[in-house]
């Protein structure tokens, strides 16, 4: 039988495909999925469930931002604009118009996706052709503009007070399906698994996107835009399409966030601090890794939720040591210190540095 000769590129892609379904990294992904599936059975505290659900939602949001800054090389300072649009569409349909059916919920998410995609294309067309830094400034301006609109249009958005709403049928908080393996299956638990399923689908879509020929062109543009232009690619069109895709994913993540919280307001969905959080999560997880979003979101969410509790723990364990209690009050200082240590020791983020280490070991074994 005649042996088929493969080019180095073909061999690399075959090896890359094989690694996706084998090896330690594949089993780590399965472990993460199994962990997220078993969380409601492992932890009966709503606080822990709430933190982990937000990690799931923000992982999808951060991964969508990573497509822009890590895979495409364009920096946006207003990516959470689409997150807010997705959340507000759900809030307005459910809370303002009272359209509380499954069909209306799906329609609200769909309109949010379409609106975000169109707005992203509009912003990209008149800003990405010039310079990517201009794109960053324009997206920040749009984020601020929509933030002010959401505060001023009280008749529609509830202004600074925001909108509270109830979800339909089995997603309602007071719904109960009975007990299963000792766990009471409430509307919260069903919402958790629904959002987990949506986040998983979004991740698979993003993985397909970055590993497609289109994604490889994006990486070539990121690494050397002039060479890509010389090869005949209209780079700004690739930027616009990547930005549009990422905005649609962010909009769905925003809709999931609104479904879980049951409340939307300018501060909770459109504030600049949320954009800064997303940026920190990408840096901690690693740019151009996609999975880094999970670790970046976990770091920020867990530290924010549980570091302030250290103060109470220290006061209970060391009641006669005022210095220890005062030191434990500086949780923001420790949070900042941890962030600096991660950036120093993991310059490419947690996942990026781990990937670099694995590649180096593999190259040493090969050659």
């Amino acid at each position: 039988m005649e042996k088929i000769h493969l080019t180095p590129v073909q061999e690399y892609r075959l090896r890359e495909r094989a690694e996706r379904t084998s090896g330690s990294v594949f089993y780590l992904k399965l472990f993460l999925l199994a962990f997220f599936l078993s969380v409601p059975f492992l932890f009966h505290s709503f606080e822990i469930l709430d933190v982990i659900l937000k990690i799931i939602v923000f992982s999808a949001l951060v991964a969508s931002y990573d497509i822009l800054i890590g895979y495409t090389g364009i920096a946006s300072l207003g990516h959470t604009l689409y997150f807010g649009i997705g959340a507000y569409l759900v809030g307005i349909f459910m809370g303002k118009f009272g359209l509380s059916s499954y069909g209306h919920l799906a329609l609200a998410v769909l309109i949010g996706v379409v609106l975000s995609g169109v707005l992203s294309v509009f912003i990209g067309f008149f800003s990405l052709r010039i310079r990517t830094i201009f794109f960053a400034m324009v997206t920040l301006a749009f984020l601020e503009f929509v933030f002010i609109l959401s505060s001023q249009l009280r008749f529609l958005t509830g202004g600074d007070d925001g909108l509270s709403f109830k979800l339909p049928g089995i997603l309602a908080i007071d719904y109960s399906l009975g007990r299963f393996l000792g766990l009471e299956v409430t509307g919260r638990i069903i919402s958790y698994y629904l959002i987990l399923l949506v986040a998983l689908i979004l991740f698979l879509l993003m993985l397909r996107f970055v590993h497609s020929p289109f994604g490889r062109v994006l990486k070539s543009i990121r690494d050397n835009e002039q060479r890509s232009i010389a090869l005949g690619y209209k780079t700004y069109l690739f930027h616009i399409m990547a930005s549009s895709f990422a905005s649609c994913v962010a909009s769905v993540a925003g809709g999931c966030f609104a479904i879980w919280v049951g409340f939307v307001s300018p501060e909770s969905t459109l504030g600049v601090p949320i954009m800064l959080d997303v940026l920190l999560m990408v840096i901690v997880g690693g740019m151009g890794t996609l999975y880094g979003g999970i670790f970046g979101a976990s770091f920020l969410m867990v530290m924010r939720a549980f570091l302030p509790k250290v103060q109470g723990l220290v006061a209970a364990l060391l009641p006669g040591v005022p210095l220890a209690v005062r030191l434990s009050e500086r949780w923001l200082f420790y949070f900042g210190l941890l962030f600096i240590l991660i950036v120093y020791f993991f310059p490419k983020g947690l996942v990026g540095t781990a990937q670099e280490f694995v590649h180096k070991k593999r190259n040493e074994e090969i050659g």
Side-chain angles (χ1 to χ4, degrees):
M1 189 173 179
E2 188 179 351
K3 189 177 178 181
I4 300 173
H5 293 284
L6 300 175
T7 64
V9 173
Q10 288 173 322
E11 286 179 357
Y12 172 79
R13 287 178 184 167
L14 282 175
R15 193 168 62 243
E16 191 182 44
R17 282 176 196 165
E19 286 170 355
R20 286 179 205 164
T21 54
S22 64
S24 55
V25 176
F26 174 68
Y27 291 113
L28 177 61
K29 294 173 191 172
L30 286 183
F31 171 77
L32 278 175
L33 180 60
F35 172 74
F36 285 130
L37 284 171
S38 58
V39 161
F41 295 94
L42 294 174
F43 307 103
H44 297 292
S45 160
F46 174 73
E47 185 182 13
I48 296 177
L49 189 68
D50 181 58
V51 170
I52 293 176
L53 192 283
K54 286 176 181 171
I55 288 173
I56 293 170
V57 172
F58 273 83
S59 295
L61 175 63
V62 174
S64 72
Y65 185 61
D66 194 24
I67 287 177
L68 282 184
I69 197 166
Y71 285 90
T72 314
I74 54 176
S76 166
L77 295 178
H79 190 61
T80 49
L81 163 66
Y82 311 111
F83 180 78
I85 287 174
Y88 258 103
L89 258 296
V90 172
I92 290 170
F93 266 65
M94 299 285 117
K96 197 66 185 177
F97 297 159
L99 303 173
S100 53
S101 70
Y102 299 119
H104 289 124
L105 181 61
L107 182 63
V109 174
L110 181 63
I111 293 176
V113 168
V114 173
L115 187 60
S116 298
V118 171
L119 182 60
S120 173
V121 169
F122 172 72
I123 294 173
F125 258 116
F126 76 87
S127 60
L128 279 171
R129 293 190 73 158
I130 304 171
R131 285 180 69 114
T132 52
I133 187 65
F134 186 58
F135 176 74
M137 294 297 106
V138 170
T139 50
L140 179 61
F142 266 90
L143 176 63
E144 285 291 341
F145 177 67
V146 175
F147 180 88
I148 293 168
L149 272 185
S150 64
S151 299
Q152 298 298 318
L153 300 177
R154 294 185 63 85
F155 69 95
L156 184 64
T157 64
D160 292 332
D161 297 331
L163 293 169
S164 298
F165 54 90
K166 284 189 68 176
L167 292 166
I170 61 172
L171 300 177
I173 294 175
D174 53 0
Y175 177 82
S176 179
L177 192 63
R179 300 191 76 83
F180 177 71
L181 296 177
L183 174 72
E184 186 178 3
V185 183
T186 62
R188 279 288 188 195
I189 300 298
I190 296 171
S191 299
Y192 174 88
Y193 282 111
L194 174 67
I195 293 169
L196 177 61
L197 176 65
V198 173
L200 182 63
I201 293 171
L202 290 178
F203 247 95
L204 292 174
L205 281 174
M206 287 187 279
L207 280 171
R208 184 73 191 95
F209 183 82
V210 298
H211 288 117
S212 67
F214 184 89
R216 283 193 279 273
V217 174
L218 286 179
K219 283 186 268 190
S220 76
I221 294 171
R222 175 200 63 190
D223 295 339
N224 193 328
E225 186 169 357
Q226 294 305 318
R227 184 173 57 191
S228 301
I229 293 172
L231 288 171
Y233 293 112
K234 294 185 183 303
T235 55
Y236 76 94
L237 286 179
F238 281 86
H239 283 160
I240 289 170
M241 285 188 275
S243 171
S244 181
F245 175 74
S247 69
C248 293
V249 174
S251 177
V252 177
C256 290
F257 182 77
I259 289 171
W260 179 252
V261 178
F263 171 77
V264 289
S265 71
E267 290 292 341
S268 66
T269 57
L270 287 163
V272 172
I274 301 174
M275 185 64 235
L276 294 177
D277 282 351
V278 170
L279 193 56
L280 287 180
M281 290 172 188
V282 170
I283 293 170
V284 170
M287 293 183 192
T289 60
L290 217 59
Y291 290 106
I294 300 173
F295 294 90
S298 301
F299 172 78
L300 244 74
M301 291 294 175
V302 170
M303 291 298 111
R304 285 240 175 101
F306 299 112
L307 266 185
K309 296 185 184 305
V310 173
Q311 181 184 349
L313 183 66
V314 171
L317 293 175
L318 303 167
V321 188
L323 178 63
V325 176
R326 280 201 298 275
L327 286 174
S328 66
E329 291 172 356
R330 305 322 194 251
W331 71 269
L332 269 175
F333 168 76
Y334 304 124
F335 176 76
L337 189 63
L338 276 173
F339 178 72
I340 291 170
L341 288 174
I342 287 178
V343 172
Y344 183 79
F345 289 106
F346 301 91
K348 294 189 176 179
L350 296 173
V351 176
T353 306
Q355 283 181 342
E356 188 182 50
F357 176 76
V358 170
H359 289 157
K360 193 180 289 183
K361 291 285 287 180
R362 186 177 300 151
N363 290 336
E364 286 174 359
E365 289 171 3
I366 293 173

